[in-house]
PDB file of all heavy atoms in Angstrom:
ATOM      1  N   VAL A 378     -14.355 -48.351 -26.486  1.00  0.00           N
ATOM      2  CA  VAL A 378     -14.159 -48.200 -25.073  1.00  0.00           C
ATOM      3  C   VAL A 378     -12.673 -47.872 -24.788  1.00  0.00           C
ATOM      4  O   VAL A 378     -12.375 -47.032 -23.963  1.00  0.00           O
ATOM      5  CB  VAL A 378     -14.538 -49.530 -24.361  1.00  0.00           C
ATOM      6  CG1 VAL A 378     -14.073 -49.519 -22.918  1.00  0.00           C
ATOM      7  CG2 VAL A 378     -16.036 -49.740 -24.412  1.00  0.00           C
ATOM      8  N   ARG A 379     -11.737 -48.520 -25.498  1.00  0.00           N
ATOM      9  CA  ARG A 379     -10.359 -48.199 -25.319  1.00  0.00           C
ATOM     10  C   ARG A 379     -10.027 -46.776 -25.632  1.00  0.00           C
ATOM     11  O   ARG A 379      -9.325 -46.055 -24.875  1.00  0.00           O
ATOM     12  CB  ARG A 379      -9.532 -49.163 -26.221  1.00  0.00           C
ATOM     13  CG  ARG A 379      -8.015 -48.899 -26.124  1.00  0.00           C
ATOM     14  CD  ARG A 379      -7.232 -49.749 -27.098  1.00  0.00           C
ATOM     15  NE  ARG A 379      -5.829 -49.499 -27.069  1.00  0.00           N
ATOM     16  CZ  ARG A 379      -5.201 -48.490 -27.674  1.00  0.00           C
ATOM     17  NH1 ARG A 379      -5.912 -47.641 -28.345  1.00  0.00           N
ATOM     18  NH2 ARG A 379      -3.892 -48.370 -27.541  1.00  0.00           N
ATOM     19  N   GLU A 380     -10.534 -46.282 -26.734  1.00  0.00           N
ATOM     20  CA  GLU A 380     -10.320 -44.890 -27.132  1.00  0.00           C
ATOM     21  C   GLU A 380     -10.900 -43.893 -26.114  1.00  0.00           C
ATOM     22  O   GLU A 380     -10.275 -42.864 -25.813  1.00  0.00           O
ATOM     23  CB  GLU A 380     -10.882 -44.656 -28.529  1.00  0.00           C
ATOM     24  CG  GLU A 380     -10.242 -45.436 -29.637  1.00  0.00           C
ATOM     25  CD  GLU A 380      -8.766 -45.073 -29.819  1.00  0.00           C
ATOM     26  OE1 GLU A 380      -8.497 -43.885 -30.070  1.00  0.00           O
ATOM     27  OE2 GLU A 380      -7.943 -45.959 -29.702  1.00  0.00           O
ATOM     28  N   VAL A 381     -12.093 -44.227 -25.634  1.00  0.00           N
ATOM     29  CA  VAL A 381     -12.708 -43.335 -24.671  1.00  0.00           C
ATOM     30  C   VAL A 381     -11.902 -43.270 -23.363  1.00  0.00           C
ATOM     31  O   VAL A 381     -11.666 -42.186 -22.803  1.00  0.00           O
ATOM     32  CB  VAL A 381     -14.147 -43.821 -24.391  1.00  0.00           C
ATOM     33  CG1 VAL A 381     -14.707 -43.137 -23.151  1.00  0.00           C
ATOM     34  CG2 VAL A 381     -15.050 -43.497 -25.565  1.00  0.00           C
ATOM     35  N   LEU A 382     -11.433 -44.410 -22.881  1.00  0.00           N
ATOM     36  CA  LEU A 382     -10.684 -44.436 -21.654  1.00  0.00           C
ATOM     37  C   LEU A 382      -9.328 -43.732 -21.838  1.00  0.00           C
ATOM     38  O   LEU A 382      -8.845 -43.048 -20.933  1.00  0.00           O
ATOM     39  CB  LEU A 382     -10.475 -45.885 -21.190  1.00  0.00           C
ATOM     40  CG  LEU A 382     -11.722 -46.630 -20.793  1.00  0.00           C
ATOM     41  CD1 LEU A 382     -11.433 -48.056 -20.360  1.00  0.00           C
ATOM     42  CD2 LEU A 382     -12.466 -45.885 -19.654  1.00  0.00           C
ATOM     43  N   PHE A 383      -8.685 -43.888 -22.992  1.00  0.00           N
ATOM     44  CA  PHE A 383      -7.479 -43.183 -23.263  1.00  0.00           C
ATOM     45  C   PHE A 383      -7.703 -41.644 -23.322  1.00  0.00           C
ATOM     46  O   PHE A 383      -6.918 -40.867 -22.773  1.00  0.00           O
ATOM     47  CB  PHE A 383      -6.893 -43.622 -24.658  1.00  0.00           C
ATOM     48  CG  PHE A 383      -5.940 -44.803 -24.482  1.00  0.00           C
ATOM     49  CD1 PHE A 383      -6.296 -45.888 -23.712  1.00  0.00           C
ATOM     50  CD2 PHE A 383      -4.724 -44.779 -25.140  1.00  0.00           C
ATOM     51  CE1 PHE A 383      -5.399 -46.972 -23.629  1.00  0.00           C
ATOM     52  CE2 PHE A 383      -3.833 -45.845 -25.011  1.00  0.00           C
ATOM     53  CZ  PHE A 383      -4.184 -46.920 -24.258  1.00  0.00           C
ATOM     54  N   MET A 384      -8.810 -41.262 -23.924  1.00  0.00           N
ATOM     55  CA  MET A 384      -9.161 -39.854 -23.990  1.00  0.00           C
ATOM     56  C   MET A 384      -9.382 -39.254 -22.542  1.00  0.00           C
ATOM     57  O   MET A 384      -8.885 -38.216 -22.258  1.00  0.00           O
ATOM     58  CB  MET A 384     -10.386 -39.628 -24.839  1.00  0.00           C
ATOM     59  CG  MET A 384     -10.774 -38.168 -24.992  1.00  0.00           C
ATOM     60  SD  MET A 384     -11.991 -37.624 -23.712  1.00  0.00           S
ATOM     61  CE  MET A 384     -13.374 -38.732 -24.083  1.00  0.00           C
ATOM     62  N   LEU A 385     -10.087 -40.031 -21.694  1.00  0.00           N
ATOM     63  CA  LEU A 385     -10.338 -39.534 -20.346  1.00  0.00           C
ATOM     64  C   LEU A 385      -9.039 -39.487 -19.507  1.00  0.00           C
ATOM     65  O   LEU A 385      -8.930 -38.677 -18.626  1.00  0.00           O
ATOM     66  CB  LEU A 385     -11.335 -40.491 -19.644  1.00  0.00           C
ATOM     67  CG  LEU A 385     -12.770 -40.483 -20.229  1.00  0.00           C
ATOM     68  CD1 LEU A 385     -13.627 -41.471 -19.503  1.00  0.00           C
ATOM     69  CD2 LEU A 385     -13.360 -39.076 -20.165  1.00  0.00           C
ATOM     70  N   ASN A 386      -8.082 -40.327 -19.899  1.00  0.00           N
ATOM     71  CA  ASN A 386      -6.748 -40.286 -19.213  1.00  0.00           C
ATOM     72  C   ASN A 386      -5.877 -39.168 -19.751  1.00  0.00           C
ATOM     73  O   ASN A 386      -4.778 -38.945 -19.229  1.00  0.00           O
ATOM     74  CB  ASN A 386      -6.031 -41.590 -19.344  1.00  0.00           C
ATOM     75  CG  ASN A 386      -6.296 -42.534 -18.158  1.00  0.00           C
ATOM     76  OD1 ASN A 386      -6.560 -43.695 -18.345  1.00  0.00           O
ATOM     77  ND2 ASN A 386      -6.211 -41.998 -16.971  1.00  0.00           N
ATOM     78  N   GLY A 387      -6.308 -38.441 -20.775  1.00  0.00           N
ATOM     79  CA  GLY A 387      -5.543 -37.389 -21.323  1.00  0.00           C
ATOM     80  C   GLY A 387      -4.475 -37.914 -22.300  1.00  0.00           C
ATOM     81  O   GLY A 387      -3.463 -37.221 -22.570  1.00  0.00           O
ATOM     82  N   LEU A 388      -4.611 -39.143 -22.858  1.00  0.00           N
ATOM     83  CA  LEU A 388      -3.651 -39.721 -23.736  1.00  0.00           C
ATOM     84  C   LEU A 388      -4.096 -39.541 -25.145  1.00  0.00           C
ATOM     85  O   LEU A 388      -5.266 -39.304 -25.463  1.00  0.00           O
ATOM     86  CB  LEU A 388      -3.448 -41.246 -23.447  1.00  0.00           C
ATOM     87  CG  LEU A 388      -3.056 -41.562 -21.976  1.00  0.00           C
ATOM     88  CD1 LEU A 388      -3.024 -43.068 -21.770  1.00  0.00           C
ATOM     89  CD2 LEU A 388      -1.701 -40.924 -21.647  1.00  0.00           C
ATOM     90  N   GLU A 389      -3.119 -39.688 -26.094  1.00  0.00           N
ATOM     91  CA  GLU A 389      -3.451 -39.530 -27.514  1.00  0.00           C
ATOM     92  C   GLU A 389      -4.317 -40.724 -27.966  1.00  0.00           C
ATOM     93  O   GLU A 389      -4.098 -41.829 -27.556  1.00  0.00           O
ATOM     94  CB  GLU A 389      -2.183 -39.475 -28.341  1.00  0.00           C
ATOM     95  CG  GLU A 389      -1.357 -38.226 -28.111  1.00  0.00           C
ATOM     96  CD  GLU A 389      -0.132 -38.184 -28.997  1.00  0.00           C
ATOM     97  OE1 GLU A 389       0.005 -39.082 -29.848  1.00  0.00           O
ATOM     98  OE2 GLU A 389       0.668 -37.261 -28.887  1.00  0.00           O
ATOM     99  N   ASN A 390      -5.277 -40.445 -28.838  1.00  0.00           N
ATOM    100  CA  ASN A 390      -6.102 -41.503 -29.383  1.00  0.00           C
ATOM    101  C   ASN A 390      -6.621 -41.070 -30.745  1.00  0.00           C
ATOM    102  O   ASN A 390      -6.394 -39.929 -31.175  1.00  0.00           O
ATOM    103  CB  ASN A 390      -7.295 -41.768 -28.448  1.00  0.00           C
ATOM    104  CG  ASN A 390      -8.098 -40.535 -28.156  1.00  0.00           C
ATOM    105  OD1 ASN A 390      -9.076 -40.284 -28.857  1.00  0.00           O
ATOM    106  ND2 ASN A 390      -7.717 -39.764 -27.150  1.00  0.00           N
TER     107      ASN A 390
END
Side-chain angles (χ1 to χ4, degrees):
V378 169
R379 177 185 180 277
E380 295 297 302
V381 165
L382 295 179
F383 270 47
M384 181 270 297
L385 294 178
N386 267 134
L388 304 176
E389 293 185 3
N390 59 90

